[in-house]
Amino acid sequence: MDADVVVVGAGLAGLRCAHVLAQAGRAVVMLEAADAVGGRQRTDEVDGFLLDRGFQVLNPAYPAVQRWVDVDVLDLRPFGAGLHVRRERGLVELTHPLRAPGGLAATLRSGLLSPRAVAALARWAGPAVVAPRRVVAGASAADRPLREGLDRAGVRGPLRTEVIEPFLAGVLAEDRGETSEAFARLLVRMFALGVPGVPANGIRALPEQLAGRAHAEGVDVRLGERVTSLRADAGRTELTLAGGSRVSARAAVVAVGPEAVAGLLPLPTPATKGLQTWWFDAPQAPTASTLLLVDGRRRGPVLNAAVMSNAAPSYAPAGRHLVQVTCLLGPDGTGGTEAEVRQQAGEMFGVSAADWALLRRDDILHALPAQPAPLRTVSRARVSPGVYVAGDHRDTASIQGALVSGDRVARTVLADLEGT
């Protein structure tokens, strides 16, 4: 045999899985169809700019990140602890009262807060902040779609329609409130506990760090190797590659993206949500702020925008400014047009976007696995004897979910191999 275990896919789940297996002394081969590790976490250099594959951030408050990622080495550059909101009457600011206390006066002047609205939001989000495990444990019985949960908690008015809903639409990749309420509350908890940012060298730095650790443990990472089929029989799993060659092992872990799972395993294709990100080179920064900007007016396809180079200067050449603008991407692959995006983004920032140079548009049809109610945080690791599946579509739709899934599946594989 070529290895004890073959891991198919070098995304976050696959990389964590391979590392745990190799650390336990198993011979591991990793097969990745692309020319670099990372899966959806990729970064390209375009005209001196760092462009991630879609707008992506890393929240250092994720427990899996705290356990298995060296955030200091990533040189994480945080965004501001809050939001800018474009309202009909102007641009207002909401900031985290503890992490950015200097913005408290502006937050109170925003016109978005009232005692009743704040109490309702606390009633909705509080249980997840204080007792997240209880939220997860009760999800199977009490979970509901996000919109119903907000209604039930009495979260109404401009705080909901102009802030919570447009912000979460960008996080969840959907604006109908169909996502699990429990999952949304857990994500809000993470935003309350940590300030997301981007690695100075792009989001690619995260999988590259994981790959480096896996390689140091002896994992044989092979890029440009696409698996076309796999077959398990009598304690042996054989994988066929696109060129016709074969790799065999005692076990195989399929850790590909959700759109590719059904091509290798007898499993249904997980539902996914799409996002579209536009990357612009702006001659002048439309704002000096590091805050994410959302459109409370909800007047167009744009969900959010940010000046990436304000938070992470390394994302742009000296004297130039990188702006990201993100929209929803429909199931048919349609998002905003360039004219619509420029018009709305300019209105949101309060500037003209006519002289922004378009660097690239990323249409990420499978940006996130759908996470409907009731929330399911664990799916079975073993598909059949010797064959396993990992990924955020098997846990929660997040970096946290991908890492936890990879770790859990690796430990299942190790237990099974010990028993044979």
Side-chain angles (χ1 to χ4, degrees):
M1 292 190 183
D2 296 279
D4 291 324
V5 186
V6 172
V7 178
V8 184
L12 301 185
L15 290 166
R16 176 60 193 167
C17 183
H19 181 261
V20 173
L21 291 167
Q23 199 170 40
R26 297 297 178 174
V28 182
V29 170
M30 170 168 276
L31 303 174
E32 168 56 51
D35 60 356
V37 300
R40 280 167 279 162
Q41 277 70 44
R42 292 285 300 270
T43 305
D44 303 306
E45 298 184 29
V46 178
D47 295 338
F49 292 87
L50 296 182
L51 305 186
D52 295 330
R53 300 280 179 93
F55 177 48
Q56 305 189 49
V57 296
L58 174 63
N59 193 329
Y62 278 139
V65 171
Q66 294 179 348
R67 287 196 296 268
W68 303 320
V69 176
D70 190 332
V71 176
D72 289 340
V73 169
L74 293 179
D75 192 12
L76 198 66
R77 304 302 176 93
F79 289 90
L83 294 171
H84 270 144
V85 182
R86 171 55 64 182
R87 307 192 71 193
E88 293 290 353
R89 296 183 180 179
L91 191 66
V92 300
E93 181 178 304
L94 293 177
T95 58
H96 194 298
L98 299 179
R99 298 185 183 279
L104 180 60
T107 297
L108 295 175
R109 290 196 304 268
S110 68
L112 292 166
L113 304 180
S114 70
R116 178 175 295 181
V118 172
L121 181 60
R123 190 161 52 242
W124 178 75
V129 175
V130 176
R133 293 186 179 180
R134 189 177 302 170
V135 171
V136 173
S140 59
D143 198 13
R144 56 182 69 85
L146 172 60
R147 62 177 179 275
E148 294 180 15
L150 292 173
D151 288 342
R152 186 180 180 88
V155 182
R156 302 183 179 87
L159 182 60
R160 172 173 173 174
T161 60
E162 298 184 40
V163 182
I164 297 171
E165 289 180 339
F167 170 69
L168 287 180
V171 176
L172 303 173
E174 65 99 356
D175 62 356
R176 297 175 177 270
E178 298 170 343
T179 298
S180 154
E181 178 199 20
F183 179 59
R185 291 164 79 190
L186 292 172
L187 284 180
V188 169
R189 176 179 188 269
M190 289 295 99
F191 285 109
L193 297 178
V195 179
V198 291
N201 198 36
I203 197 67
R204 65 185 175 189
L206 172 58
E208 287 175 353
Q209 180 184 119
L210 298 178
R213 290 181 172 181
H215 180 73
E217 294 291 346
V219 176
D220 179 7
V221 181
R222 304 178 187 178
L223 302 177
E225 297 284 8
R226 184 169 64 87
V227 176
T228 58
S229 65
L230 61 83
R231 181 174 59 87
D233 182 48
R236 178 173 178 268
T237 303
E238 186 174 86
L239 300 91
T240 302
L241 308 185
S245 61
R246 290 178 170 83
V247 176
S248 66
R250 294 176 64 190
V253 177
V254 175
V256 298
E259 72 282 1
V261 170
L264 294 174
L265 299 175
L267 294 174
T269 300
T272 56
K273 303 292 185 180
L275 291 169
Q276 179 187 73
T277 298
W278 300 74
W279 299 100
F280 294 101
D281 170 8
Q284 291 85 36
T287 177
S289 175
T290 60
L291 293 175
L292 185 72
L293 171 62
V294 299
D295 194 343
R297 307 165 308 162
R298 304 170 79 167
R299 188 183 297 164
V302 176
L303 297 175
N304 60 61
V307 182
M308 299 291 295
S309 47
N310 284 353
S314 53
Y315 268 58
R320 299 166 77 181
H321 310 278
L322 179 63
V323 179
Q324 76 81 22
V325 182
T326 293
C327 311
L328 286 179
L329 191 66
D332 59 354
T334 59
T337 67
E338 184 175 347
E340 291 172 334
V341 168
R342 285 181 183 274
Q343 176 68 29
Q344 188 181 356
E347 291 175 0
M348 289 167 65
F349 282 111
V351 301
S352 171
D355 59 351
W356 294 0
L358 178 62
L359 294 166
R360 191 174 74 186
R361 187 190 80 199
D362 289 328
D363 292 346
I364 314 295
L365 189 59
H366 306 288
L368 288 172
Q371 198 86 66
L375 177 64
R376 183 202 68 222
T377 58
V378 177
S379 296
R380 60 190 175 97
R382 189 185 310 103
V383 177
S384 60
V387 180
Y388 306 79
V389 59
D392 63 346
H393 56 92
R394 306 293 290 177
D395 198 282
T396 55
S398 61
I399 288 173
Q400 166 77 13
L403 293 172
V404 167
S405 176
D407 189 82
R408 177 173 54 83
V409 170
R411 299 187 189 284
T412 301
V413 174
L414 290 172
D416 289 352
L417 291 180
E418 287 293 333
T420 59

